[in-house]
Amino acid sequence: MISVGIDAGSATTKAVLVKDDGSTVHSIRATAFDFVSAAEKAYEDVLGIAEIDRKEVDHVYSTGYGRNSIKFADRSISEITAHAKGVHHIYPDVEGIIDIGGQDSKVISVNNGKVTDFLMNDKCAAGTGKFLEYTARALEVPMEELGKIALDSRSPASISSMCTVFAESEVISLRAKGYSKEDIAAGLVESIARRVAVMARQIGLKRNVAFVGGVAKNAAIKAALEKELGISLYVLPEPQITGALGAALHGSN
Amino acid sequence: MHSFKTLENLKNSYSERIRQIADERKSGKKLVGTFCLFVPDEIIFAAGADRVILCGGKNDTVSIAEQYLPRNICPLIKSSFGSIINDGCSGIKSCSHFSMVDMIVAENTCDGKKKMYELLEDYVPTYVIDLPQRPDTSEALKYFISELEKFRDAMEQLTGYKITDEQLKEEIRFSNETRRLFHRLYELRKRDPSPISGTDVLKILQKQYFLSPDKLKEYLQMLINEVENIEPGQVHKPRIMISGCPMPGGNTKVTEIIESKGGVIVAEESCTGTRSFWDLVDESKEPMIALAERYIKIPCSCMSPNNRRIDNILELAREFRVDGVIYYTLQFCHGYNIEKQKVQKALKEAGIPMLSIETDYSDSDVEQIGLRADAFMEMIS
Ligand SMILES: Nc1ncnc2c1ncn2[C@@H]1O[C@H](COP(=O)(O)OP(=O)(O)O)[C@@H](O)[C@H]1O
Ligand code: SF4
Ligand code: SF4
């Protein structure tokens, strides 16, 4: 059976194709305001890479913020269920998941691949990838570098604003006061980690916790979360695609 | 799901009731507006007055209230206040009954309402019943009885009628009958699958605060007859209980989302739910004492301690065999939001999954609630 999962996220659209033998291929594309065409392109990407024709695909399942706009999907499932399935497949011991994406963050408690509890923050940008994107811009540092720079800090600046707009101007005024980019970056990282760690503690994530979503690519956030929670986190080689993988797997059984 | 004729008729009940109130007032009958279940209807009716509940569920009057009230208080308070003080200048319309009341009977419950009532006084004569905060002591009961006695006097003054014990007993009997009808309706929801959706039941739960007692009884009886006689469905849906803040008329957002995601609401631990009818008034006792005893036990989060509510939630969850609980709160309702911790803990120990939804009256979070509801249904199915 060949199945495809599409994760139509607010920032990026991910597609994973699972072949008969269980091997996978994936694609990640910027969503750029158009779920439908991003999903279509990501789908074509994985078909192309796997050299498989559309007709050979048995199931397409969608997930993510735009899951209900993907008309070529047979069914949609929530990101929460999808991440649990996807992470469990790669990491069967998983008991907890922290997902920080473009516009929300979630914590999920998992038992045997099944969700047992979850919490999410999607009411404001604080504690999400958007917060990092905006503040990185104010710092004039590329998103991908932010983590590396933050890790070089010795005394992180303290960022008090939770609101993204105010945090942006706080960054600018800290720079004017002469704080180094490293210390400001580390301050931003800590402020997100603290917020997400509160949610993780609320649902009692203690062991075997995986960190997924685009922000898991930021090594400084991982380190700060580990420090806050006092555990080490499991980060997959490609942490952004577990939702799409989970959706594909959901379709295949 | 089945479409019930009673509920279709209920839709048209508004204008009919407004006409009735207008006629009553022309003939000298007083209309009292209340906000909360702690105010015993029986005393109002025994004084020969009519009553409507003024808890607002409409979003559009919130902005009117925000000219006077802080933004960070619960939408129920803002919507109600906005509906009452609305002079129509902004082009927003309040429902007609808000401007028809002769007196407001308020109660000291949460801080937001308490202070809002002080402002309301400038617009409508407002009488406040004080409530003891620790309901389980004998002093509290004694004090509550004295407050109800004072309220009885105030009602007599308003209408000019003496409230006799006989009259009170009659009203108690009548209200108990209505409570029993609600129990019968809820009994039917224990079937699996439930023959009626929670959104449908909510419509009559909301209207109970607006209709005249006679009409309410009529509608309830009709609805029960209809529900009893429909063919039971076949598909099992996850059985959900709502627990938390009231869902006043005009607001069915959350129940609609939950039921559109495949669940069915079988009970609601709420003031638009079991808290309004669960306990009966003891008809064998002296009426004022019986009323005080019944009303002081309403498990509202304004009371402390409020363990009665936790016990009640567990009891309901078992009786209605629920698969999950949606803990529903309005933004900035500190009482119910804080009490969530206790409910969560108790449900966890009982092995019942809970999803918490904190919202307001706007539609801005429909997608976000939808995602949580999806994930919750996937989790409990
Ligand atoms: N290479 C990277 N290094 C650091 N952060 C990244 C990287 N790529 C993406 N991100 C972060 O991930 C976020 C997007 O995460 P993603 O899980 O794709 O979101 P969504 O599922 O909501 O579309 C971006 O806002 C950005 O902050
Ligand atoms: S929730 Fe409490 S304060 Fe509000 S109506 Fe119900 S009993 Fe009254
Ligand atoms: S919902 Fe909460 S804050 Fe609002 S009026 Fe009722 S008790 Fe008060």
Side-chain angles (χ1 to χ4, degrees):
Chain A
M1 165 141 44
I2 298 172
S3 51
V4 173
I6 310 269
D7 178 355
S10 64
T12 59
T13 299
K14 285 77 64 177
V16 170
L17 183 147
V18 182
K19 292 190 218 166
D20 287 321
D21 60 359
S23 65
T24 64
V25 301
H26 71 260
S27 159
I28 304 175
R29 276 181 175 267
T31 300
F33 305 110
D34 189 351
F35 291 121
V36 181
S37 84
E40 185 61 42
K41 286 191 186 121
Y43 188 21
E44 272 163 20
D45 288 346
V46 288
L47 291 173
I49 302 167
E51 295 178 345
I52 282 171
D53 193 81
R54 231 170 229 258
K55 288 196 225 65
E56 296 171 62
V57 176
D58 296 292
H59 296 286
V60 182
Y61 270 43
S62 65
T63 185
Y65 183 68
R67 66 192 181 286
N68 294 323
S69 349
I70 315 302
K71 295 288 174 264
F72 60 82
D74 304 311
R75 240 191 84 180
S76 75
I77 60 168
S78 74
E79 296 95 288
I80 292 153
T81 306
H83 279 300
K85 265 219 143 56
V87 176
H88 177 72
H89 181 72
I90 303 174
Y91 179 32
D93 286 340
V94 67
E95 291 175 55
I97 298 171
I98 297 175
D99 167 32
I100 311 184
Q103 65 173 19
D104 61 27
S105 41
K106 347 180 169 39
V107 292
I108 309 166
S109 161
V110 189
N111 183 6
N112 231 332
K114 271 204 67 122
V115 177
T116 55
D117 201 0
F118 64 91
L119 274 182
M120 56 189 302
N121 160 40
D122 52 8
K123 292 245 156 92
C124 77
T128 70
K130 266 276 167 318
F131 181 87
L132 285 178
E133 277 176 41
Y134 281 110
T135 48
R137 211 170 54 197
L139 210 52
E140 293 173 314
V141 171
M143 197 55 245
E144 296 73 19
E145 307 279 304
L146 191 77
K148 214 161 60 222
I149 292 176
L151 286 173
D152 284 337
S153 160
R154 291 193 179 206
S155 64
S158 126
I159 309 282
S160 51
S161 310
M162 271 301 159
C163 164
T164 308
V165 180
F166 290 133
E168 219 177 325
S169 43
E170 201 175 340
V171 166
I172 293 165
S173 81
L174 284 172
R175 285 190 68 188
K177 281 188 200 145
Y179 281 83
S180 71
K181 283 189 179 183
E182 287 77 8
D183 290 345
I184 299 174
L188 293 168
V189 162
E190 279 192 355
S191 94
I192 294 209
R194 221 174 295 130
R195 228 182 137 92
V196 177
V198 169
M199 294 205 300
R201 278 194 292 263
Q202 270 177 307
I203 63 162
L205 301 190
K206 290 194 190 77
R207 284 184 309 206
N208 297 335
V209 180
F211 182 20
V212 303
V215 177
K217 292 183 173 168
N218 183 320
I221 302 260
K222 172 179 183 269
L225 274 173
E226 288 179 332
K227 201 171 128 214
E228 279 283 337
L229 294 171
I231 53 176
S232 61
L233 297 174
Y234 184 69
V235 178
L236 313 168
E238 182 40 89
Q240 233 163 338
I241 59 163
T242 49
L245 174 65
L249 294 171
H250 201 80
S252 68
N253 55 39
Chain B
M1 263 207 161
H2 192 85
S3 120
F4 296 99
K5 251 180 60 207
T6 311
L7 298 173
E8 276 307 307
N9 296 342
L10 203 59
K11 273 192 206 150
N12 306 324
S13 63
Y14 188 81
S15 51
E16 195 186 321
R17 172 69 166 147
I18 291 293
R19 265 199 307 279
Q20 181 194 11
I21 292 172
D23 290 344
E24 283 175 356
R25 292 184 78 217
K26 245 185 257 155
S27 66
K29 194 165 177 154
K30 301 291 184 193
L31 180 68
V32 168
T34 62
F35 288 89
C36 169
L37 291 185
F38 280 109
V39 178
D41 282 342
E42 287 93 335
I43 298 179
I44 300 173
F45 295 135
D50 201 347
R51 77 96 178 83
V52 286
I53 287 210
L54 301 178
C55 287
K58 269 174 70 155
N59 193 42
D60 29 357
T61 54
V62 166
S63 61
I64 302 175
E66 282 176 349
Q67 297 169 37
Y68 306 88
L69 301 174
R71 284 198 58 230
N72 54 349
I73 56 170
C74 112
L76 190 157
I77 297 176
K78 285 189 282 192
S79 172
S80 312
F81 188 76
S83 286
I84 294 166
I85 66 159
N86 185 11
D87 55 14
C89 287
S90 49
I92 296 166
K93 272 189 66 175
S94 299
C95 297
S96 324
H97 61 281
F98 283 97
S99 60
M100 299 172 98
V101 297
D102 297 291
M103 180 167 91
I104 283 174
V105 178
E107 78 310 315
N108 280 339
T109 44
C110 68
D111 284 350
K113 277 205 288 179
K114 226 152 60 181
K115 301 312 279 186
M116 182 266 281
Y117 296 143
E118 293 175 13
L119 303 185
L120 260 191
E121 256 168 7
D122 289 346
Y123 302 85
V124 191
T126 302
Y127 180 88
V128 181
I129 300 176
D130 191 31
L131 294 181
Q133 304 265 296
R134 300 182 74 80
D136 294 330
T137 62
S138 59
E139 293 85 352
L141 182 65
K142 226 186 273 164
Y143 180 68
F144 190 44
I145 294 174
S146 74
E147 277 296 299
L148 291 187
E149 290 289 357
K150 274 192 258 171
F151 171 49
R152 178 180 183 166
D153 294 344
M155 281 308 303
E156 287 177 346
Q157 244 174 24
L158 177 75
T159 63
Y161 290 113
K162 186 110 195 76
I163 301 177
T164 63
D165 277 3
E166 269 326 298
Q167 198 70 47
L168 270 179
K169 282 188 179 164
E170 185 47 42
E171 292 300 341
I172 290 173
R173 259 194 304 276
F174 192 91
S175 297
N176 274 348
E177 277 170 23
T178 309
R179 293 180 183 119
R180 283 192 200 97
L181 285 177
F182 270 116
H183 274 282
R184 271 184 57 201
L185 180 62
Y186 271 57
E187 206 50 48
L188 296 169
R189 302 171 83 187
K190 290 184 182 168
R191 294 183 186 164
D192 189 15
S194 168
I196 183 166
S197 74
T199 307
D200 277 348
V201 176
L202 183 61
K203 288 177 191 151
I204 195 153
L205 285 166
Q206 291 177 335
K207 275 281 179 358
Q208 70 172 310
Y209 299 121
F210 176 69
L211 293 173
S212 74
D214 297 311
K215 267 279 173 236
L216 171 64
K217 222 183 224 172
E218 232 174 79
Y219 280 116
L220 262 174
Q221 191 66 65
M222 270 160 51
L223 184 60
I224 291 167
N225 289 345
E226 270 192 276
V227 178
E228 268 173 348
N229 289 314
I230 63 166
E231 282 291 311
Q234 293 300 322
V235 254
H236 170 85
K237 294 177 172 181
R239 298 168 64 81
I240 304 292
M241 173 161 88
I242 303 259
S243 171
C245 291
M247 294 186 180
N251 203 299
T252 46
K253 175 170 83 175
V254 172
T255 61
E256 277 171 17
I257 295 174
I258 290 164
E259 296 194 321
S260 76
K261 301 298 184 187
V264 61
I265 296 160
V266 294
E268 37 294 281
E269 189 275 324
S270 157
C271 286
T272 39
T274 53
R275 288 203 286 270
S276 70
F277 67 84
W278 202 250
D279 290 331
L280 271 59
V281 181
D282 190 340
E283 294 177 23
S284 65
K285 283 193 175 162
E286 209 212 300
M288 289 303 276
I289 294 174
L291 284 171
E293 283 177 350
R294 187 269 178 194
Y295 279 84
I296 204 174
K297 280 200 220 126
I298 294 170
C300 167
S301 77
C302 300
M303 294 295 175
S304 171
N306 191 27
N307 295 329
R308 189 177 278 126
R309 176 162 176 243
I310 313 293
D311 297 342
N312 184 232
I313 291 172
L314 292 174
E315 176 195 334
L316 289 169
R318 271 191 293 268
E319 262 189 47
F320 288 84
R321 287 174 292 153
V322 309
D323 298 306
V325 171
I326 305 261
Y327 196 86
Y328 161 85
T329 54
L330 292 170
Q331 267 167 24
F332 311 114
C333 171
H334 301 321
Y336 284 97
N337 276 316
I338 295 173
E339 218 160 81
K340 176 166 72 193
Q341 295 300 325
K342 287 206 164 200
V343 175
Q344 170 95 70
K345 187 160 166 270
L347 286 173
K348 204 166 218 164
E349 280 165 16
I352 300 164
M354 178 185 115
L355 170 71
S356 156
I357 292 177
E358 184 182 348
T359 183
D360 60 10
Y361 290 166
S362 75
D363 282 334
S364 62
D365 58 359
V366 168
E367 283 293 322
Q368 295 164 333
I369 297 175
L371 169 60
R372 286 167 172 74
D374 264 338
F376 191 64
M377 296 307 159
E378 288 161 3
M379 181 176 126
I380 64 179
S381 316

